Amino acid sequence: MGYNPANIHRGISAYFCHNSYVAQVLDLTIEKGKPVVKRVCCAVDCGIVINPDAAINLTEGAIVDAVGNALYGELTFANGVPDKDNFNKYRMIRHSEAPKAIDVHFVKNDIDPTGMGEPAFPPAFGALANALYKATGKRLYNQPFISQISEDQKGS
């Protein structure tokens, strides 16, 4: 299974918070009716990166968590109380559903370090929504996205 650009649906998104800028490009395919995130390329401008390994880990973890939340995360309530009060009731992303590749690039500059913990999380939602729009022709605004992809749209 090679990387076939003809079957790739690409979404992009950018975000600013904690004085950091993050942009992401997400490539996905639809396989057996389900979205498969093939690759996420992430650029981060957060000033001087003090610990590159930790910053890469934070970014990769944020992206995997965001993709899982966007596709599968759902919190419902009954009488003001969460229905999903434990992990056995809450659908989390599985290892096989995580992005197949994540590339992280940091802008090199001499600016004092800014925030790094949260900024990579939100743009993955937008990039995924934009890629799913390319794949299905339908704009998705509410999570979980997986429940909004109808059978007739999964044929890409």
Side-chain angles (χ1 to χ4, degrees), residues 23-25 39-43 56 59-60 63 101-105:
Q24 294 178 3
V25 178
R39 180 174 177 253
V40 179
C41 184
C42 182
I56 289 169
T59 304
E60 291 173 339
I63 291 168
I102 299 174
D103 303 322
V104 179
H105 306 275

Side-chain angles (χ1 to χ4, degrees), residues 120-137:
F121 183 75
F125 286 82
L128 180 58
N130 288 328
L132 286 167
Y133 171 68
K134 291 290 216 163
T136 67

Side-chain angles (χ1 to χ4, degrees), residues 2-10:
Y3 195 76
N4 183 353
N7 296 328
I8 296 295
H9 307 282
R10 180 166 285 166

